[in-house]
């Protein structure tokens, strides 16, 4: 992050974090209001759960009405409101130049509030992340920013949105890195961190709970907890694969229906209502379910019912193309899987009294890691949301094994499947660019072929045509004066063109006398950037003296050598 550009991003990111935090908290309050109105007939912004106490069995149709409203908004407003938020933000980064339209920024939170407020089994975090990203994108469009800076602001808004919901600023920053930025550089990391920090400050001012999901500190982790974490992680990795494939199968099933997709969310909503009539815990965000799972007091039949019914309700409703989030429902499913796995382990020697709350927490983080492949985000979220430092080791093991199983059984994640199907490749890993780690001096040609200032066009043409292979293969010739002072450069093509017209002048008359150059201590990345920007394939390397003296020459071939060396380093030697 350099100079004025870095300062501009920083000055934009802090107020952006404040705005997104208020927008996110406002969206939560709007969800509470719609829930109160839809299920209880009260005008109130206090949090409440969808239930059947006021309307009785008629409440079955409330989610269907919400789905119908979302279908109408998507049909006549913008289809971009459909989905669970984070993949849509990723698509904006990958294919849309980080531009998200104002209409989507307004309709997405509105449709989400309708979906969740009328009983949809979703969390608000995904759509709030998408809304924060949209606000950041709009800031990058309204103010003069480059496409790269818009991506940073979009990511900063997304991180602020996650922080506003859960009070997890580090997880918000890591989510932006792993799912949106795909880089770890100061120019992007610092503005994202500033936005998340500002959002956290706003969250504290408005009195949101902190930590959101407190977990009593367990005993120091031991070998059995470590082994159990590996088992829970592997089981949750398998569950993530099943969950992802089932969701996409349901989406394909809806696509085969013989009527317009506008009606699909209403069908999904009706399924939510029917399942909710059987078990009301499956309706709404279900943050209370997460707290109950962490308390470890849920009985085995209740765990099994929550797992199966929440999974069916969430996957069918989201597969219908409505608006909603994945994080809270997926973590509810993962928490139930973790607790059930702990019950199974408790029957083995040495696993008696396995802590159900810790097992649920590992399951929550591991299933999200397996489904999203966001390893650092999953671990950081589980810690920040609970403040349970003793769970760090088990969380690392559980999330790592979940991702191992997920990658073994599934090529794409729940976040990237749709993008992959549309031909968009999303990077899963980020690694140091070898071009940033090497300097021009490492790979430049130190003894290039040079010509003097008095050499004529004819003489150089004859050298190229009749001399050694090295002269015939060279494409660029530096022209030097006394003490190797660089006077200019001439290309092979320019010499052949000049020979046809007038071969007698010195080469300096047909040369480029102010060529694009590079210094020995510049990075290979800078050399590659200059070649791309100026559409040239070779650069004279000069020192920093005045006048500059020629040190060598570097071409695309030498730059590619850096990548070849990295490939060589990856080979297994016998």
């Amino acid at each position: 992050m350099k100079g004025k550009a870095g300062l501009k991003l920083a000055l934009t990111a802090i107020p952006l974090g404040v705005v997104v935090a208020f927008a996110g908290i406002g969206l939560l309050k709007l969800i509470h209001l719609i829930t109160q109105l839809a299920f209880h007939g009260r005008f109130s912004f206090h949090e409440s759960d969808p239930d059947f106490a006021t309307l009785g069995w008629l409440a079955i149709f409330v989610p269907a009405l919400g789905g119908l409203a979302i279908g109408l908004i998507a049909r006549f407003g913008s289809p971009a409101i459909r989905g669970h938020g984070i993949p849509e933000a990723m698509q904006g980064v990958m294919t849309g130049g980080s531009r998200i339209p104002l209409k989507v920024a307004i309709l997405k939170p509105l449709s989400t509030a309708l979906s969740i407020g009328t009983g949809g089994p979703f969390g608000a975090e995904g759509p709030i992340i998408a809304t924060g990203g949209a606000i950041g994108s709009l800031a990058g469009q309204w103010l003069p920013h480059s496409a790269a800076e818009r991506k940073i602001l979009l990511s900063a808004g997304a991180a602020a949105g996650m922080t506003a919901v859960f009070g997890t600023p580090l997880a918000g920053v890591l989510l932006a890195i792993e799912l949106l930025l795909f880089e770890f550089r100061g120019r992007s990391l610092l503005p994202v961190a500033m936005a998340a920090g500002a959002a956290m400050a706003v969250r504290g001012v408005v009195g949101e709970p902190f930590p959101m999901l407190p977990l009593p500190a367990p005993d120091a982790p031991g070998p059995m907890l470590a082994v159990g974490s590996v088992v829970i992680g592997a089981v949750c990795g398998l569950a993530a694969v099943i969950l992802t494939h089932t969701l996409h199968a349901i989406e394909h099933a809806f696509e085969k229906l013989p009527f317009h997709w506008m009606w699909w969310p209403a069908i999904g909503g009706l399924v939510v209502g029917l399942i909710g009539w059987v078990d009301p815990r499956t309706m709404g965000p279900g943050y209370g379910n997460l707290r109950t799972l962490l308390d470890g007091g849920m009985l085995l039949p209740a765990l099994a019912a929550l797992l199966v019914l929440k999974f069916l309700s969430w996957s069918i409703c989201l597969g219908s193309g409505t608006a909603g989030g994945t994080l809270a429902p997926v973590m509810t499913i993962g928490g139930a899987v973790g607790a059930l796995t702990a019950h199974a382990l408790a029957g083995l020697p040495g696993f008696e009294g396995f802590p159900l709350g810790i097992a649920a927490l590992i399951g929550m983080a591991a299933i999200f890691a397996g489904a999203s492949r966001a390893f650092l985000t999953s671990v950081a979220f589980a810690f920040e949301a609970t403040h349970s430092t003793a769970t760090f080791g088990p969380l690392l093991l559980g999330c790592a094994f979940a991702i191992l199983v997920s990658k073994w059984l599934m090529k794409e994640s729940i976040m990237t499947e749709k993008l992959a199907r549309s031909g968009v490749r999303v990077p899963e890993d980020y690694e140091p660019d070898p071009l940033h780690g090497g300097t021009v001096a490492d790979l430049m040609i130190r003894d290039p072929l040079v010509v003097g200032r008095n050499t004529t066009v004819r003489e150089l043409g004859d050298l190229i045509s009749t001399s050694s292979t090295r002269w015939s293969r060279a494409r660029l010739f530096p022209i030097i004066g006394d003490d190797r002072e660089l006077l200019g450069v001439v290309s092979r093509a320019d010499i052949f063109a000049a020979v046809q017209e007038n071969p007698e002048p010195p080469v300096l008359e047909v040369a480029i006398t102010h060529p694009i150059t590079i210094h020995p201590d510049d990075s290979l990345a800078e050399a590659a950037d200059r070649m791309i920007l100026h559409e040239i394939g070779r650069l004279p390397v000069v020192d920093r003296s005045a006048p500059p003296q020629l040190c060598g020459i570097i071409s695309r071939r030498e730059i590619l050598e850096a990548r070849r060396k990295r490939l060589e380093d990856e080979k297994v030697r016998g």
Side-chain angles (χ1 to χ4, degrees), residues 21 59 161 241 270 375 390 407 429 498:
V241 173
L270 183 59
F375 174 73
K407 284 191 171 185
D429 305 305

Side-chain angles (χ1 to χ4, degrees), residues 9 81 97 126 160 173 209 226 267 302 351 376 378 418 494 504 514 530 562:
L9 281 176
I81 68 164
V173 172
I267 298 172
F351 289 94
L376 295 175
S378 303
K418 284 186 178 180
D494 289 339
E504 301 307 325
H514 294 89
R530 291 189 192 184

Side-chain angles (χ1 to χ4, degrees), residues 55 76 218 225 254 320:
L55 297 178
F76 300 106
L225 185 55
F254 270 100
S320 70

Side-chain angles (χ1 to χ4, degrees), residues 46 80 165 204 208 250 263 278 291 325 439 447 457 479 555 564:
H46 291 292
V165 180
E208 289 294 313
I250 291 171
W263 305 103
V278 177
R291 297 185 182 98
T439 64
D447 60 339
V457 170
I479 303 169
S555 69
R564 188 196 66 77

Side-chain angles (χ1 to χ4, degrees), residues 23 114 147 233 279 284 304 367 423 427 429 433 452 541 544:
L114 279 170
D279 190 345
I367 197 168
D429 305 305
D433 188 339
V541 184
R544 296 183 184 273

